[in-house]
Amino acid sequence: MSTSADPLAALAALPGVAESVNAVRNAVDRVYGHRVMRRRSNEVTSEAALRGARGSATLAGADWALEEVRRRTDFGAEGEPRTVGAALRLTAEAGQLLSIWRQSPLRVLARLHLVAAGGAEGDEGVGRPRQSGEPVDEPLIGSDLRLPDAEEVAGRLDGLARLLLAGSEAPALVTAAVVHGELLALRPFVSRNGLVARAAERIVLVGSGLDPKSICPAEVGYAELGVAPYMAALEGYASGTPEGMAVWIAHCGRAVELGVRESTAVCEALQRGAA
């Protein structure tokens, strides 16, 4: 990452990033201008939350149909049900953490992992960064992506927190993409890092004012684009090269645009009285 006084703003100046930022801004503006949003925005927000959780769970290995997620109430069984349940809990929790995020991003990340893991404070490995020698259970992130050791994780998490607290003039998309990419690259927890990373990205997009009603579920877009492109873009982020970073930010931007398209379809269905 750039060593400038505002490294996030430096990333925003990379070739192609401005185009992604503008495309996202225009897409978000269009869906917020939909006539349904004036009267039924709460319904759109609720539906976006459900679809976003379903998309995030898909990327974590639980590819369930939307109607299955909608009708199920028991997510306690091991395997895919627990993954879907974790995604739903995180989506609900993220909206409650905006004010804390502005003061202590690391506290929020710990809380997100606690919620995702479904444990209690003090449970081994839950709600805290992993320690030296602890394994990481993140099956969809292959061994080709280097796993930083615990000392590097601690240092980079601290650096990320300081960067966020310092503030930046960078567009929300850039900040959200860096938060998402850094957490995936670090895998700071023993499990559920992907779910936590996508929830943190959602907090940034909402808290920045880009998507204040949380109706643009990027998680839908990532799932639609597929796991292989997601991982290829992440490798670009992890490389630290300007080209790789730009590819990752563009991928995140495209995911937000697809999330906007999903919510636009929800708006159209509500307008027709079909949802």
Side-chain angles (χ1 to χ4, degrees):
M1 195 176 292
S2 169
T3 58
S4 72
D6 189 347
L8 294 174
L11 291 177
L14 291 174
V17 170
E19 290 82 352
S20 295
V21 168
N22 289 336
V24 166
R25 178 75 267 176
N26 291 335
V28 172
D29 286 347
R30 284 195 299 271
V31 72
Y32 270 85
H34 197 287
R35 62 186 300 180
V36 165
M37 287 297 295
R38 293 196 297 270
R39 298 174 287 110
R40 305 178 71 177
S41 64
N42 287 342
E43 293 172 71
V44 181
T45 295
S46 295
E47 192 64 22
L50 183 72
R51 295 177 185 223
R54 183 258 170 193
S56 193
T58 295
L59 291 167
D63 187 4
W64 287 17
L66 180 63
E67 291 310 312
E68 178 72 1
V69 178
R70 196 189 303 279
R71 74 171 185 83
R72 287 284 289 268
T73 57
D74 178 14
F75 299 101
E78 290 293 335
E80 292 188 5
R82 289 198 68 180
T83 297
V84 175
L88 289 167
R89 291 193 303 273
L90 281 173
T91 301
E93 186 76 9
Q96 311 301 315
L97 298 173
L98 294 173
S99 61
I100 303 173
W101 177 265
R102 297 185 184 102
Q103 300 170 11
S104 179
L106 297 185
R107 181 180 166 195
V108 169
L109 293 177
R111 175 63 186 171
L112 289 175
H113 186 252
L114 186 70
V115 170
E121 291 189 43
D123 286 359
E124 187 175 358
V126 174
R128 60 159 175 78
R130 55 186 167 85
Q131 299 173 356
S132 180
E134 287 185 319
V136 176
D137 180 15
E138 203 72 39
L140 291 189
I141 298 183
S143 58
D144 291 342
L145 191 68
R146 184 181 70 88
L147 181 67
D149 62 26
E151 183 177 358
E152 182 180 349
V153 167
R156 286 174 62 175
L157 280 179
D158 181 66
L160 178 64
R162 285 188 282 105
L163 188 66
L164 293 170
L165 292 172
S168 173
E169 295 183 359
L173 172 65
V174 174
T175 303
V178 167
V179 168
H180 184 171
E182 190 72 356
L183 292 175
L184 278 183
L186 291 178
R187 282 147 289 165
F189 302 108
V190 296
S191 64
R192 308 292 193 194
N193 291 285
L195 292 174
V196 168
R198 291 183 288 275
E201 179 187 62
R202 165 65 26 216
I203 289 172
V204 174
L205 292 173
V206 173
S208 67
L210 176 66
D211 181 21
K213 294 184 182 293
S214 195
I215 62 167
C216 306
E219 303 93 336
V220 169
Y222 293 122
E224 184 172 336
L225 291 167
V227 171
Y230 185 63
M231 293 309 305
L234 175 61
E235 288 172 6
Y237 177 89
S239 74
T241 65
E243 297 79 10
M245 299 291 282
V247 166
W248 171 250
I249 294 167
H251 189 77
C252 294
R254 182 58 182 150
V256 175
E257 290 184 73
L258 291 172
V260 168
R261 187 178 71 180
E262 186 85 356
S263 285
T264 300
V266 170
C267 288
E268 294 294 326
L270 288 169
Q271 186 168 284
R272 294 192 305 269

